Amino acid sequence: MPAKTDQQAALKIAAGRKPFVEPLRLGERLKEIRLANHWTLEDVSQRTGLARSTLSKIENNQISPTFTAVQKLINGLGIDLPQLLTPPRVQPRTMGRRDLTRQGEGQHHPTPTYEHELLSCELAQKRMIPFKTIVRARHFDEFSEWVRHDGEEFLMVLQGEIQLYTEFYEPLQLAQGDSIYFDSDMGHALVSVSEEDAVVLSVCTRGDAA
């Protein structure tokens, strides 16, 4: 009970501050807590009732949380105010992880335009998602809409040649050995322009875990 009383008193004091706990860099503390618990922004949004976009802005210090928002964070995440204002203890992490994928032994996910092979599927809590793709599409109009997803993407052509279409740039042709890095929430699509279907290696970041 005393702990709850202390929390209420701290909240009353904090309520009069504007912007709220700005000097304490609360956004960085919130992100540390989220990552320490392996929560995505969507997880925190569902727990607290705060919009994912609002949480992202708080974490990136683009806005200062209101008193009401702080109350929702405390209640939804099951923490008290001191926990929110103090960086969580760094959890020990295993630094020797590895996940071998033999040729052809990834998880295959065929689509009308691509044939994906997800790599390193046994490793949990990855910050990157690697996969190899056979590009079956031959024309841009085979796509009903842009491909887009959170995060960033590195792509390298392993075999053949592709035409890379992106939402904000002119089409770009890439040959074997060429590579490109781009924001993957920008609409994009690949088509093969070589005689054989092209093969590319892609590595995507998890945008909601960054």
Side-chain angles (χ1 to χ4, degrees):
M1 186 65 68
K4 185 174 182 180
T5 303
D6 291 344
Q7 175 183 324
Q8 292 173 336
L11 285 170
K12 288 180 181 179
I13 295 172
R17 298 179 184 170
K18 186 179 181 180
F20 185 69
V21 296
E22 180 70 20
L24 296 178
R25 298 159 71 184
L26 186 144
E28 294 182 21
R29 309 288 174 86
L30 174 59
K31 186 172 184 178
E32 288 177 339
I33 293 172
R34 178 171 68 81
L35 295 180
N37 287 278
H38 307 298
W39 289 330
T40 64
L41 286 172
E42 183 61 29
D43 292 332
V44 176
S45 176
Q46 292 180 2
R47 289 170 178 268
T48 63
L50 295 172
R52 177 174 165 171
S53 58
T54 299
L55 293 168
S56 178
K57 289 177 181 178
I58 292 174
E59 288 193 358
N60 290 285
N61 296 314
Q62 295 175 355
I63 61 172
S64 298
T66 63
F67 174 61
T68 300
V70 170
Q71 286 183 306
K72 288 183 177 180
L73 288 170
I74 290 172
N75 295 331
L77 302 183
I79 59 178
D80 55 26
L81 188 62
Q83 283 179 285
L84 184 61
L85 304 183
T86 303
R89 238 179 339 188
V90 177
Q91 299 295 324
R93 298 182 60 185
T94 302
M95 302 303 293
R97 301 188 305 166
R98 75 177 199 179
D99 184 3
L100 172 65
T101 304
R102 298 289 186 185
Q103 182 173 350
E105 293 184 358
Q107 289 185 4
H108 293 269
H109 293 272
T111 73
T113 51
Y114 301 139
E115 185 173 334
H116 298 300
E117 181 184 1
L118 300 183
L119 310 174
S120 301
C121 299
E122 298 300 320
L123 194 61
Q125 303 299 332
K126 297 191 293 290
R127 292 181 179 272
M128 300 180 292
I129 302 174
F131 56 97
K132 187 165 62 173
T133 300
I134 300 174
V135 182
R136 303 292 192 196
R138 291 289 172 167
H139 301 282
F140 177 70
D141 53 13
E142 293 181 44
F143 296 86
S144 59
E145 59 184 0
W146 287 110
V147 177
R148 64 174 84 244
H149 45 88
D150 289 343
E152 302 170 352
E153 182 169 343
F154 172 79
L155 180 151
M156 174 176 278
V157 181
L158 301 181
Q159 298 175 25
E161 295 185 23
I162 63 168
Q163 190 92 346
L164 171 64
Y165 292 87
T166 49
E167 192 170 9
F168 306 125
Y169 298 91
E170 290 297 318
L172 183 64
Q173 191 157 326
L174 301 175
Q176 181 174 330
D178 291 343
S179 62
I180 190 168
Y181 193 107
F182 57 92
D183 292 321
S184 45
D185 58 355
M186 171 177 62
H188 56 280
L190 310 177
V191 302
S192 287
V193 293
S194 49
E195 184 175 345
E196 301 293 332
D197 290 339
V199 180
V200 301
L201 173 69
S202 297
V203 181
C204 298
T205 62
R206 295 181 56 137
D208 57 5

